Amino acid sequence: MNDLLLRACRREPVERPPVWMMRQAGRYLPEYRAVRARADFLTMVRTPELAVEVTLQPVDLLEVDAAIIFSDILVVPQAMGMALSVDEGVGPRFHHPLATPADVARLRDVAPEESLGYTLDALRLARRELGGRVPLIGFAGAPWTLASYMIEGTGTRTFARAKAFLARHPAEAHGLLQRLATAVGDFLVAQVAAGAQVVQLFDSWAGALAPADFRAFALPYLAGAARRARSAGAPVIVFAPGAGWALEEIAQATGADVIGVDWQVEPGAARRRLAAHPVAVQGNLDPCWLYAPPREIARRTRAMLDAFGGRGYIANLGHGILPDVPVAHARAFVDAVREWRSTEAAR
Ligand code: CP3
């Protein structure tokens, strides 16, 4: 049984670091596109057999060291009553974005087994089908990222609507963020009960906020969700791309077992800055370097591993893999990690 990921999360000795890729079950795989041709995205998410089929694809095809359950961060707002579409070429869209405090007041609280049972069923089925081959990761979106998506309704460059809501209705914004922290924390606890062995919180839009605003509107709720999730006993990974300036504060506030870093943070700097904290580190190759020739991918991946060192480290990209990356290039990344041996890793 391959438990490299679990050992790395606990900063125990490993023969080599584990490797997986954010968005590893996705459109760059022809086998994913074949399933997607038969079912739309939300049907795949809501049908455990389909979700598990694509969850296992990167494990079978690329031999990554972890499976991440196929779902989306936006299922939590959907469970709170927000109508969601994910259309080809458009991306996710809420039909009625939150515009006023009255819209927030109408949201439902989430009972995970009732409204998110399809993902919990998918986790139970995935654990069975994995048969211990590699650990299974569950995940959820962090409150600030979910709230901004719920207010914007779709992707955005400026976050003007989301920030306007904070500016005009700070008390109601805090109320929404608190409800999301509870919902997300409870969902992650339920995911662990259903078989997730590690869980990751994505605060994908953390980088939109000024430091003082991140400290006011994002970090406390990220920490609330992470601490609630941690009570379930599985390691928690916190990933807040764009907030590399706050690594120490994130480690301190969340109590996370693993801190994810994007490519804007130098590996050595991440290690130095987190040295006083009891955390492992995950990241951080810029996914666009997977467009380079495989030899260059392998070279950059080895340089990343040399810089992070072997222990308490999970090799990953600094963001999700992009849909038009050749599978052979994703494989070059994974293989470079699988072949790497550090002199200190096993110590
Ligand atoms: O990592 C995995 O393989 C697990 C599955 C996963 C998906 N989304 C599947 C997905 C995970 C972990 C996510 C997280 C997610 N979803 C985030 C946070 C991380 C990140 O990548 O920033 C965010 C912001 C979302 C919201 C979301 N869902 C967006 C912005 C999109 C559109 C993406 C795009 O490139 O079109 C989605 C849809 C989505 N979620 C797809 C996948 C595989 C593509 C849907 C399709 O097949 O058409």
PDB file of all heavy atoms in Angstrom, residues 20-27 32 36 41 68-74 86 88 91-92 139 149 202 204-205 319-320 323, ligand 1:
ATOM      1  N   TRP A  20       0.998  14.399  -6.700  1.00  0.00           N
ATOM      2  CA  TRP A  20      -0.307  14.414  -7.367  1.00  0.00           C
ATOM      3  C   TRP A  20      -0.450  15.797  -7.998  1.00  0.00           C
ATOM      4  O   TRP A  20       0.424  16.650  -7.803  1.00  0.00           O
ATOM      5  CB  TRP A  20      -1.466  14.069  -6.414  1.00  0.00           C
ATOM      6  CG  TRP A  20      -1.757  15.052  -5.312  1.00  0.00           C
ATOM      7  CD1 TRP A  20      -1.057  15.216  -4.145  1.00  0.00           C
ATOM      8  CD2 TRP A  20      -2.837  16.011  -5.277  1.00  0.00           C
ATOM      9  NE1 TRP A  20      -1.626  16.208  -3.382  1.00  0.00           N
ATOM     10  CE2 TRP A  20      -2.719  16.718  -4.051  1.00  0.00           C
ATOM     11  CE3 TRP A  20      -3.880  16.340  -6.135  1.00  0.00           C
ATOM     12  CZ2 TRP A  20      -3.618  17.730  -3.684  1.00  0.00           C
ATOM     13  CZ3 TRP A  20      -4.777  17.342  -5.761  1.00  0.00           C
ATOM     14  CH2 TRP A  20      -4.636  18.022  -4.553  1.00  0.00           C
ATOM     15  N   MET A  21      -1.497  16.000  -8.786  1.00  0.00           N
ATOM     16  CA  MET A  21      -1.684  17.276  -9.466  1.00  0.00           C
ATOM     17  C   MET A  21      -3.078  17.805  -9.207  1.00  0.00           C
ATOM     18  O   MET A  21      -4.059  17.072  -9.374  1.00  0.00           O
ATOM     19  CB  MET A  21      -1.484  17.124 -10.987  1.00  0.00           C
ATOM     20  CG  MET A  21      -0.074  16.755 -11.385  1.00  0.00           C
ATOM     21  SD  MET A  21       0.070  16.599 -13.180  1.00  0.00           S
ATOM     22  CE  MET A  21      -1.008  15.201 -13.459  1.00  0.00           C
ATOM     23  N   MET A  22      -3.168  19.067  -8.813  1.00  0.00           N
ATOM     24  CA  MET A  22      -4.481  19.672  -8.690  1.00  0.00           C
ATOM     25  C   MET A  22      -5.174  19.622 -10.054  1.00  0.00           C
ATOM     26  O   MET A  22      -4.525  19.843 -11.075  1.00  0.00           O
ATOM     27  CB  MET A  22      -4.350  21.101  -8.156  1.00  0.00           C
ATOM     28  CG  MET A  22      -3.900  21.099  -6.685  1.00  0.00           C
ATOM     29  SD  MET A  22      -3.857  22.725  -5.941  1.00  0.00           S
ATOM     30  CE  MET A  22      -2.257  23.297  -6.482  1.00  0.00           C
ATOM     31  N   ARG A  23      -6.480  19.309 -10.046  1.00  0.00           N
ATOM     32  CA  ARG A  23      -7.273  19.113 -11.272  1.00  0.00           C
ATOM     33  C   ARG A  23      -6.788  17.922 -12.097  1.00  0.00           C
ATOM     34  O   ARG A  23      -6.936  17.918 -13.321  1.00  0.00           O
ATOM     35  CB  ARG A  23      -7.243  20.357 -12.161  1.00  0.00           C
ATOM     36  CG  ARG A  23      -8.075  21.500 -11.654  1.00  0.00           C
ATOM     37  CD  ARG A  23      -9.533  21.323 -12.043  1.00  0.00           C
ATOM     38  NE  ARG A  23     -10.346  22.363 -11.453  1.00  0.00           N
ATOM     39  CZ  ARG A  23     -10.645  23.505 -12.072  1.00  0.00           C
ATOM     40  NH1 ARG A  23     -10.231  23.725 -13.278  1.00  0.00           N
ATOM     41  NH2 ARG A  23     -11.366  24.402 -11.459  1.00  0.00           N
ATOM     42  N   GLN A  24      -6.201  16.917 -11.419  1.00  0.00           N
ATOM     43  CA  GLN A  24      -5.622  15.797 -12.180  1.00  0.00           C
ATOM     44  C   GLN A  24      -6.697  14.975 -12.901  1.00  0.00           C
ATOM     45  O   GLN A  24      -6.387  14.311 -13.895  1.00  0.00           O
ATOM     46  CB  GLN A  24      -4.777  14.905 -11.275  1.00  0.00           C
ATOM     47  CG  GLN A  24      -5.546  14.171 -10.178  1.00  0.00           C
ATOM     48  CD  GLN A  24      -4.626  13.422  -9.226  1.00  0.00           C
ATOM     49  OE1 GLN A  24      -3.416  13.648  -9.193  1.00  0.00           O
ATOM     50  NE2 GLN A  24      -5.185  12.501  -8.447  1.00  0.00           N
ATOM     51  N   ALA A  25      -7.937  14.992 -12.381  1.00  0.00           N
ATOM     52  CA  ALA A  25      -9.046  14.348 -13.095  1.00  0.00           C
ATOM     53  C   ALA A  25      -9.706  15.430 -13.924  1.00  0.00           C
ATOM     54  O   ALA A  25     -10.581  16.132 -13.455  1.00  0.00           O
ATOM     55  CB  ALA A  25     -10.035  13.742 -12.098  1.00  0.00           C
ATOM     56  N   GLY A  26      -9.267  15.592 -15.167  1.00  0.00           N
ATOM     57  CA  GLY A  26      -9.779  16.727 -15.935  1.00  0.00           C
ATOM     58  C   GLY A  26      -9.604  16.557 -17.422  1.00  0.00           C
ATOM     59  O   GLY A  26      -9.223  15.488 -17.914  1.00  0.00           O
ATOM     60  N   ARG A  27      -9.873  17.647 -18.123  1.00  0.00           N
ATOM     61  CA  ARG A  27     -10.043  17.581 -19.575  1.00  0.00           C
ATOM     62  C   ARG A  27      -8.777  17.273 -20.368  1.00  0.00           C
ATOM     63  O   ARG A  27      -8.859  16.948 -21.542  1.00  0.00           O
ATOM     64  CB  ARG A  27     -10.658  18.887 -20.082  1.00  0.00           C
ATOM     65  CG  ARG A  27     -12.128  19.000 -19.736  1.00  0.00           C
ATOM     66  CD  ARG A  27     -12.621  20.415 -19.910  1.00  0.00           C
ATOM     67  NE  ARG A  27     -11.981  21.290 -18.937  1.00  0.00           N
ATOM     68  CZ  ARG A  27     -12.198  22.593 -18.837  1.00  0.00           C
ATOM     69  NH1 ARG A  27     -13.008  23.192 -19.670  1.00  0.00           N
ATOM     70  NH2 ARG A  27     -11.590  23.300 -17.910  1.00  0.00           N
ATOM     71  N   TYR A  32     -11.031  11.199 -19.700  1.00  0.00           N
ATOM     72  CA  TYR A  32     -11.993  12.091 -19.035  1.00  0.00           C
ATOM     73  C   TYR A  32     -12.962  12.657 -20.060  1.00  0.00           C
ATOM     74  O   TYR A  32     -14.180  12.637 -19.870  1.00  0.00           O
ATOM     75  CB  TYR A  32     -11.253  13.233 -18.324  1.00  0.00           C
ATOM     76  CG  TYR A  32     -12.190  14.289 -17.756  1.00  0.00           C
ATOM     77  CD1 TYR A  32     -12.663  14.192 -16.448  1.00  0.00           C
ATOM     78  CD2 TYR A  32     -12.607  15.373 -18.524  1.00  0.00           C
ATOM     79  CE1 TYR A  32     -13.531  15.147 -15.930  1.00  0.00           C
ATOM     80  CE2 TYR A  32     -13.477  16.336 -18.020  1.00  0.00           C
ATOM     81  CZ  TYR A  32     -13.922  16.213 -16.720  1.00  0.00           C
ATOM     82  OH  TYR A  32     -14.790  17.153 -16.207  1.00  0.00           O
ATOM     83  N   ARG A  36     -17.024  12.645 -20.275  1.00  0.00           N
ATOM     84  CA  ARG A  36     -17.666  13.964 -20.339  1.00  0.00           C
ATOM     85  C   ARG A  36     -18.545  14.100 -21.588  1.00  0.00           C
ATOM     86  O   ARG A  36     -19.513  14.861 -21.588  1.00  0.00           O
ATOM     87  CB  ARG A  36     -16.549  15.003 -20.333  1.00  0.00           C
ATOM     88  CG  ARG A  36     -16.953  16.432 -20.308  1.00  0.00           C
ATOM     89  CD  ARG A  36     -17.466  16.849 -18.949  1.00  0.00           C
ATOM     90  NE  ARG A  36     -17.647  18.286 -18.964  1.00  0.00           N
ATOM     91  CZ  ARG A  36     -18.618  18.893 -19.634  1.00  0.00           C
ATOM     92  NH1 ARG A  36     -19.509  18.181 -20.284  1.00  0.00           N
ATOM     93  NH2 ARG A  36     -18.709  20.202 -19.639  1.00  0.00           N
ATOM     94  N   PHE A  41     -21.060  18.063 -16.830  1.00  0.00           N
ATOM     95  CA  PHE A  41     -20.178  18.115 -15.667  1.00  0.00           C
ATOM     96  C   PHE A  41     -20.919  17.835 -14.355  1.00  0.00           C
ATOM     97  O   PHE A  41     -20.498  17.007 -13.548  1.00  0.00           O
ATOM     98  CB  PHE A  41     -19.476  19.482 -15.625  1.00  0.00           C
ATOM     99  CG  PHE A  41     -18.613  19.671 -14.421  1.00  0.00           C
ATOM    100  CD1 PHE A  41     -17.404  19.011 -14.303  1.00  0.00           C
ATOM    101  CD2 PHE A  41     -19.018  20.511 -13.390  1.00  0.00           C
ATOM    102  CE1 PHE A  41     -16.607  19.174 -13.177  1.00  0.00           C
ATOM    103  CE2 PHE A  41     -18.224  20.681 -12.266  1.00  0.00           C
ATOM    104  CZ  PHE A  41     -17.017  20.015 -12.162  1.00  0.00           C
ATOM    105  N   ILE A  68      -7.870  12.317  -5.918  1.00  0.00           N
ATOM    106  CA  ILE A  68      -8.701  13.380  -5.335  1.00  0.00           C
ATOM    107  C   ILE A  68     -10.103  13.199  -5.884  1.00  0.00           C
ATOM    108  O   ILE A  68     -10.284  13.030  -7.099  1.00  0.00           O
ATOM    109  CB  ILE A  68      -8.142  14.794  -5.604  1.00  0.00           C
ATOM    110  CG1 ILE A  68      -9.081  15.865  -5.011  1.00  0.00           C
ATOM    111  CG2 ILE A  68      -7.849  15.037  -7.081  1.00  0.00           C
ATOM    112  CD1 ILE A  68      -8.452  17.250  -4.858  1.00  0.00           C
ATOM    113  N   ILE A  69     -11.075  13.201  -4.985  1.00  0.00           N
ATOM    114  CA  ILE A  69     -12.445  12.881  -5.401  1.00  0.00           C
ATOM    115  C   ILE A  69     -12.934  13.896  -6.430  1.00  0.00           C
ATOM    116  O   ILE A  69     -12.692  15.093  -6.300  1.00  0.00           O
ATOM    117  CB  ILE A  69     -13.402  12.818  -4.186  1.00  0.00           C
ATOM    118  CG1 ILE A  69     -14.681  12.077  -4.549  1.00  0.00           C
ATOM    119  CG2 ILE A  69     -13.715  14.188  -3.621  1.00  0.00           C
ATOM    120  CD1 ILE A  69     -14.506  10.610  -4.873  1.00  0.00           C
ATOM    121  N   PHE A  70     -13.606  13.413  -7.449  1.00  0.00           N
ATOM    122  CA  PHE A  70     -14.107  14.300  -8.490  1.00  0.00           C
ATOM    123  C   PHE A  70     -15.370  14.997  -7.996  1.00  0.00           C
ATOM    124  O   PHE A  70     -16.379  14.354  -7.702  1.00  0.00           O
ATOM    125  CB  PHE A  70     -14.399  13.521  -9.766  1.00  0.00           C
ATOM    126  CG  PHE A  70     -14.785  14.422 -10.891  1.00  0.00           C
ATOM    127  CD1 PHE A  70     -13.826  15.151 -11.561  1.00  0.00           C
ATOM    128  CD2 PHE A  70     -16.110  14.587 -11.240  1.00  0.00           C
ATOM    129  CE1 PHE A  70     -14.181  16.030 -12.587  1.00  0.00           C
ATOM    130  CE2 PHE A  70     -16.466  15.455 -12.261  1.00  0.00           C
ATOM    131  CZ  PHE A  70     -15.505  16.176 -12.925  1.00  0.00           C
ATOM    132  N   SER A  71     -15.299  16.315  -7.886  1.00  0.00           N
ATOM    133  CA  SER A  71     -16.437  17.132  -7.463  1.00  0.00           C
ATOM    134  C   SER A  71     -16.093  18.570  -7.814  1.00  0.00           C
ATOM    135  O   SER A  71     -15.284  18.803  -8.716  1.00  0.00           O
ATOM    136  CB  SER A  71     -16.674  16.967  -5.954  1.00  0.00           C
ATOM    137  OG  SER A  71     -17.818  17.687  -5.542  1.00  0.00           O
ATOM    138  N   ASP A  72     -16.664  19.544  -7.148  1.00  0.00           N
ATOM    139  CA  ASP A  72     -16.297  20.940  -7.380  1.00  0.00           C
ATOM    140  C   ASP A  72     -16.514  21.721  -6.103  1.00  0.00           C
ATOM    141  O   ASP A  72     -17.343  21.351  -5.276  1.00  0.00           O
ATOM    142  CB  ASP A  72     -17.117  21.554  -8.519  1.00  0.00           C
ATOM    143  CG  ASP A  72     -16.454  22.823  -9.041  1.00  0.00           C
ATOM    144  OD1 ASP A  72     -15.516  22.710  -9.831  1.00  0.00           O
ATOM    145  OD2 ASP A  72     -16.848  23.926  -8.607  1.00  0.00           O
ATOM    146  N   ILE A  73     -15.787  22.836  -5.966  1.00  0.00           N
ATOM    147  CA  ILE A  73     -15.975  23.653  -4.760  1.00  0.00           C
ATOM    148  C   ILE A  73     -17.373  24.289  -4.725  1.00  0.00           C
ATOM    149  O   ILE A  73     -17.860  24.627  -3.656  1.00  0.00           O
ATOM    150  CB  ILE A  73     -14.887  24.748  -4.618  1.00  0.00           C
ATOM    151  CG1 ILE A  73     -14.950  25.758  -5.758  1.00  0.00           C
ATOM    152  CG2 ILE A  73     -13.495  24.126  -4.520  1.00  0.00           C
ATOM    153  CD1 ILE A  73     -14.092  27.009  -5.506  1.00  0.00           C
ATOM    154  N   LEU A  74     -18.017  24.429  -5.871  1.00  0.00           N
ATOM    155  CA  LEU A  74     -19.286  25.170  -5.922  1.00  0.00           C
ATOM    156  C   LEU A  74     -20.491  24.331  -5.531  1.00  0.00           C
ATOM    157  O   LEU A  74     -21.621  24.827  -5.514  1.00  0.00           O
ATOM    158  CB  LEU A  74     -19.475  25.787  -7.313  1.00  0.00           C
ATOM    159  CG  LEU A  74     -18.349  26.759  -7.720  1.00  0.00           C
ATOM    160  CD1 LEU A  74     -18.607  27.327  -9.108  1.00  0.00           C
ATOM    161  CD2 LEU A  74     -18.190  27.890  -6.707  1.00  0.00           C
ATOM    162  N   VAL A  86     -22.937  24.633 -15.204  1.00  0.00           N
ATOM    163  CA  VAL A  86     -21.557  24.606 -15.697  1.00  0.00           C
ATOM    164  C   VAL A  86     -21.645  24.319 -17.191  1.00  0.00           C
ATOM    165  O   VAL A  86     -21.892  23.191 -17.601  1.00  0.00           O
ATOM    166  CB  VAL A  86     -20.701  23.552 -14.971  1.00  0.00           C
ATOM    167  CG1 VAL A  86     -19.266  23.580 -15.489  1.00  0.00           C
ATOM    168  CG2 VAL A  86     -20.705  23.793 -13.465  1.00  0.00           C
ATOM    169  N   GLU A  88     -20.381  24.329 -21.197  1.00  0.00           N
ATOM    170  CA  GLU A  88     -19.225  24.166 -22.081  1.00  0.00           C
ATOM    171  C   GLU A  88     -18.674  25.529 -22.516  1.00  0.00           C
ATOM    172  O   GLU A  88     -19.419  26.367 -23.023  1.00  0.00           O
ATOM    173  CB  GLU A  88     -19.705  23.387 -23.318  1.00  0.00           C
ATOM    174  CG  GLU A  88     -18.604  22.752 -24.122  1.00  0.00           C
ATOM    175  CD  GLU A  88     -18.061  21.501 -23.443  1.00  0.00           C
ATOM    176  OE1 GLU A  88     -18.855  20.570 -23.182  1.00  0.00           O
ATOM    177  OE2 GLU A  88     -16.853  21.473 -23.163  1.00  0.00           O
ATOM    178  N   GLY A  91     -17.939  27.957 -18.323  1.00  0.00           N
ATOM    179  CA  GLY A  91     -17.546  27.734 -16.941  1.00  0.00           C
ATOM    180  C   GLY A  91     -18.750  27.827 -16.024  1.00  0.00           C
ATOM    181  O   GLY A  91     -19.881  27.972 -16.480  1.00  0.00           O
ATOM    182  N   PRO A  92     -18.514  27.734 -14.710  1.00  0.00           N
ATOM    183  CA  PRO A  92     -19.616  27.705 -13.754  1.00  0.00           C
ATOM    184  C   PRO A  92     -20.301  29.074 -13.649  1.00  0.00           C
ATOM    185  O   PRO A  92     -19.644  30.096 -13.732  1.00  0.00           O
ATOM    186  CB  PRO A  92     -18.951  27.338 -12.432  1.00  0.00           C
ATOM    187  CG  PRO A  92     -17.505  27.175 -12.704  1.00  0.00           C
ATOM    188  CD  PRO A  92     -17.200  27.622 -14.073  1.00  0.00           C
ATOM    189  N   PHE A 139     -12.077  17.464  -0.586  1.00  0.00           N
ATOM    190  CA  PHE A 139     -11.767  18.896  -0.633  1.00  0.00           C
ATOM    191  C   PHE A 139     -13.024  19.741  -0.532  1.00  0.00           C
ATOM    192  O   PHE A 139     -14.151  19.248  -0.664  1.00  0.00           O
ATOM    193  CB  PHE A 139     -11.009  19.257  -1.915  1.00  0.00           C
ATOM    194  CG  PHE A 139     -11.853  19.213  -3.168  1.00  0.00           C
ATOM    195  CD1 PHE A 139     -12.508  20.353  -3.627  1.00  0.00           C
ATOM    196  CD2 PHE A 139     -11.999  18.035  -3.881  1.00  0.00           C
ATOM    197  CE1 PHE A 139     -13.293  20.315  -4.778  1.00  0.00           C
ATOM    198  CE2 PHE A 139     -12.783  17.992  -5.036  1.00  0.00           C
ATOM    199  CZ  PHE A 139     -13.426  19.129  -5.487  1.00  0.00           C
ATOM    200  N   TYR A 149     -17.525  33.941  -5.235  1.00  0.00           N
ATOM    201  CA  TYR A 149     -18.178  33.311  -6.393  1.00  0.00           C
ATOM    202  C   TYR A 149     -19.696  33.482  -6.316  1.00  0.00           C
ATOM    203  O   TYR A 149     -20.373  33.719  -7.319  1.00  0.00           O
ATOM    204  CB  TYR A 149     -17.830  31.815  -6.456  1.00  0.00           C
ATOM    205  CG  TYR A 149     -17.471  31.376  -7.853  1.00  0.00           C
ATOM    206  CD1 TYR A 149     -16.163  31.040  -8.192  1.00  0.00           C
ATOM    207  CD2 TYR A 149     -18.437  31.322  -8.856  1.00  0.00           C
ATOM    208  CE1 TYR A 149     -15.836  30.655  -9.481  1.00  0.00           C
ATOM    209  CE2 TYR A 149     -18.108  30.940 -10.137  1.00  0.00           C
ATOM    210  CZ  TYR A 149     -16.818  30.598 -10.452  1.00  0.00           C
ATOM    211  OH  TYR A 149     -16.501  30.224 -11.729  1.00  0.00           O
ATOM    212  N   PHE A 202      -9.413  24.903  -0.630  1.00  0.00           N
ATOM    213  CA  PHE A 202      -8.954  25.788  -1.701  1.00  0.00           C
ATOM    214  C   PHE A 202      -9.449  27.211  -1.434  1.00  0.00           C
ATOM    215  O   PHE A 202     -10.650  27.466  -1.522  1.00  0.00           O
ATOM    216  CB  PHE A 202      -9.536  25.359  -3.051  1.00  0.00           C
ATOM    217  CG  PHE A 202      -8.960  24.095  -3.630  1.00  0.00           C
ATOM    218  CD1 PHE A 202      -9.488  22.853  -3.321  1.00  0.00           C
ATOM    219  CD2 PHE A 202      -7.892  24.144  -4.514  1.00  0.00           C
ATOM    220  CE1 PHE A 202      -8.974  21.686  -3.880  1.00  0.00           C
ATOM    221  CE2 PHE A 202      -7.369  22.981  -5.085  1.00  0.00           C
ATOM    222  CZ  PHE A 202      -7.913  21.750  -4.761  1.00  0.00           C
ATOM    223  N   SER A 204      -8.941  29.805  -3.470  1.00  0.00           N
ATOM    224  CA  SER A 204      -8.361  30.116  -4.777  1.00  0.00           C
ATOM    225  C   SER A 204      -8.311  31.604  -5.070  1.00  0.00           C
ATOM    226  O   SER A 204      -7.493  32.045  -5.871  1.00  0.00           O
ATOM    227  CB  SER A 204      -9.161  29.418  -5.864  1.00  0.00           C
ATOM    228  OG  SER A 204      -9.184  28.038  -5.603  1.00  0.00           O
ATOM    229  N   TRP A 205      -9.182  32.377  -4.457  1.00  0.00           N
ATOM    230  CA  TRP A 205      -9.239  33.813  -4.740  1.00  0.00           C
ATOM    231  C   TRP A 205      -8.669  34.659  -3.602  1.00  0.00           C
ATOM    232  O   TRP A 205      -8.934  35.864  -3.528  1.00  0.00           O
ATOM    233  CB  TRP A 205     -10.676  34.213  -5.101  1.00  0.00           C
ATOM    234  CG  TRP A 205     -11.057  33.690  -6.464  1.00  0.00           C
ATOM    235  CD1 TRP A 205     -10.247  32.986  -7.324  1.00  0.00           C
ATOM    236  CD2 TRP A 205     -12.311  33.811  -7.130  1.00  0.00           C
ATOM    237  NE1 TRP A 205     -10.928  32.680  -8.477  1.00  0.00           N
ATOM    238  CE2 TRP A 205     -12.205  33.172  -8.385  1.00  0.00           C
ATOM    239  CE3 TRP A 205     -13.527  34.403  -6.786  1.00  0.00           C
ATOM    240  CZ2 TRP A 205     -13.256  33.104  -9.296  1.00  0.00           C
ATOM    241  CZ3 TRP A 205     -14.576  34.340  -7.698  1.00  0.00           C
ATOM    242  CH2 TRP A 205     -14.431  33.702  -8.937  1.00  0.00           C
ATOM    243  N   HIS A 319      -0.851  25.329  -9.225  1.00  0.00           N
ATOM    244  CA  HIS A 319      -2.256  25.588  -9.538  1.00  0.00           C
ATOM    245  C   HIS A 319      -2.754  24.392 -10.335  1.00  0.00           C
ATOM    246  O   HIS A 319      -1.982  23.487 -10.617  1.00  0.00           O
ATOM    247  CB  HIS A 319      -2.395  26.888 -10.331  1.00  0.00           C
ATOM    248  CG  HIS A 319      -3.709  27.566 -10.063  1.00  0.00           C
ATOM    249  ND1 HIS A 319      -4.909  27.010 -10.430  1.00  0.00           N
ATOM    250  CD2 HIS A 319      -4.005  28.723  -9.446  1.00  0.00           C
ATOM    251  CE1 HIS A 319      -5.888  27.818 -10.036  1.00  0.00           C
ATOM    252  NE2 HIS A 319      -5.362  28.868  -9.437  1.00  0.00           N
ATOM    253  N   GLY A 320      -4.029  24.382 -10.729  1.00  0.00           N
ATOM    254  CA  GLY A 320      -4.567  23.234 -11.457  1.00  0.00           C
ATOM    255  C   GLY A 320      -3.922  23.051 -12.823  1.00  0.00           C
ATOM    256  O   GLY A 320      -3.548  24.020 -13.483  1.00  0.00           O
ATOM    257  N   PRO A 323      -6.269  22.408 -19.396  1.00  0.00           N
ATOM    258  CA  PRO A 323      -6.954  21.379 -20.202  1.00  0.00           C
ATOM    259  C   PRO A 323      -6.211  20.962 -21.471  1.00  0.00           C
ATOM    260  O   PRO A 323      -6.448  19.873 -21.978  1.00  0.00           O
ATOM    261  CB  PRO A 323      -8.288  22.033 -20.589  1.00  0.00           C
ATOM    262  CG  PRO A 323      -8.419  23.262 -19.775  1.00  0.00           C
ATOM    263  CD  PRO A 323      -7.086  23.624 -19.231  1.00  0.00           C
TER     264      PRO A 323
HETATM  265  O1  CP3 B   1      -8.466  18.262  -8.691  1.00  0.00           O
HETATM  266  C1  CP3 B   1      -9.297  17.472  -9.177  1.00  0.00           C
HETATM  267  O2  CP3 B   1      -9.049  16.734 -10.151  1.00  0.00           O
HETATM  268  C2  CP3 B   1     -10.635  17.329  -8.491  1.00  0.00           C
HETATM  269  C3  CP3 B   1     -11.703  18.049  -9.070  1.00  0.00           C
HETATM  270  C4  CP3 B   1     -11.809  19.567  -8.978  1.00  0.00           C
HETATM  271  C5  CP3 B   1     -12.543  20.285  -9.937  1.00  0.00           C
HETATM  272  N1  CP3 B   1     -12.634  21.581  -9.520  1.00  0.00           N
HETATM  273  C6  CP3 B   1     -13.133  19.692 -11.146  1.00  0.00           C
HETATM  274  C7  CP3 B   1     -13.569  20.588 -12.230  1.00  0.00           C
HETATM  275  C8  CP3 B   1     -11.370  20.487  -8.010  1.00  0.00           C
HETATM  276  C9  CP3 B   1     -10.465  20.272  -6.818  1.00  0.00           C
HETATM  277  C10 CP3 B   1     -11.905  21.757  -8.360  1.00  0.00           C
HETATM  278  C11 CP3 B   1     -11.714  22.974  -7.546  1.00  0.00           C
HETATM  279  C12 CP3 B   1     -12.226  24.259  -8.040  1.00  0.00           C
HETATM  280  N2  CP3 B   1     -13.362  24.510  -8.773  1.00  0.00           N
HETATM  281  C13 CP3 B   1     -11.631  25.508  -7.749  1.00  0.00           C
HETATM  282  C14 CP3 B   1     -10.436  25.701  -6.872  1.00  0.00           C
HETATM  283  C15 CP3 B   1      -9.167  25.333  -7.487  1.00  0.00           C
HETATM  284  C16 CP3 B   1      -8.842  26.009  -8.772  1.00  0.00           C
HETATM  285  O3  CP3 B   1      -8.606  25.266  -9.737  1.00  0.00           O
HETATM  286  O4  CP3 B   1      -8.748  27.244  -8.774  1.00  0.00           O
HETATM  287  C17 CP3 B   1     -12.402  26.510  -8.378  1.00  0.00           C
HETATM  288  C18 CP3 B   1     -12.133  27.996  -8.376  1.00  0.00           C
HETATM  289  C19 CP3 B   1     -13.502  25.861  -8.991  1.00  0.00           C
HETATM  290  C20 CP3 B   1     -14.637  26.494  -9.722  1.00  0.00           C
HETATM  291  C21 CP3 B   1     -14.671  26.008 -11.094  1.00  0.00           C
HETATM  292  N3  CP3 B   1     -15.201  24.803 -11.486  1.00  0.00           N
HETATM  293  C22 CP3 B   1     -14.155  26.655 -12.247  1.00  0.00           C
HETATM  294  C23 CP3 B   1     -13.478  28.000 -12.254  1.00  0.00           C
HETATM  295  C24 CP3 B   1     -14.404  25.794 -13.327  1.00  0.00           C
HETATM  296  C25 CP3 B   1     -14.142  26.073 -14.775  1.00  0.00           C
HETATM  297  C26 CP3 B   1     -12.769  25.610 -15.042  1.00  0.00           C
HETATM  298  C27 CP3 B   1     -12.467  25.598 -16.487  1.00  0.00           C
HETATM  299  O5  CP3 B   1     -11.269  25.547 -16.759  1.00  0.00           O
HETATM  300  O6  CP3 B   1     -13.395  25.629 -17.321  1.00  0.00           O
HETATM  301  C28 CP3 B   1     -15.034  24.624 -12.828  1.00  0.00           C
HETATM  302  C29 CP3 B   1     -15.456  23.446 -13.598  1.00  0.00           C
HETATM  303  C30 CP3 B   1     -14.589  22.229 -13.355  1.00  0.00           C
HETATM  304  N4  CP3 B   1     -14.312  21.728 -12.109  1.00  0.00           N
HETATM  305  C31 CP3 B   1     -13.997  21.376 -14.341  1.00  0.00           C
HETATM  306  C32 CP3 B   1     -13.360  20.328 -13.636  1.00  0.00           C
HETATM  307  C33 CP3 B   1     -12.648  19.137 -14.204  1.00  0.00           C
HETATM  308  C34 CP3 B   1     -14.114  21.527 -15.846  1.00  0.00           C
HETATM  309  C35 CP3 B   1     -15.519  21.146 -16.233  1.00  0.00           C
HETATM  310  C36 CP3 B   1     -15.649  20.440 -17.553  1.00  0.00           C
HETATM  311  O7  CP3 B   1     -15.335  19.222 -17.641  1.00  0.00           O
HETATM  312  O8  CP3 B   1     -16.130  21.091 -18.480  1.00  0.00           O
END
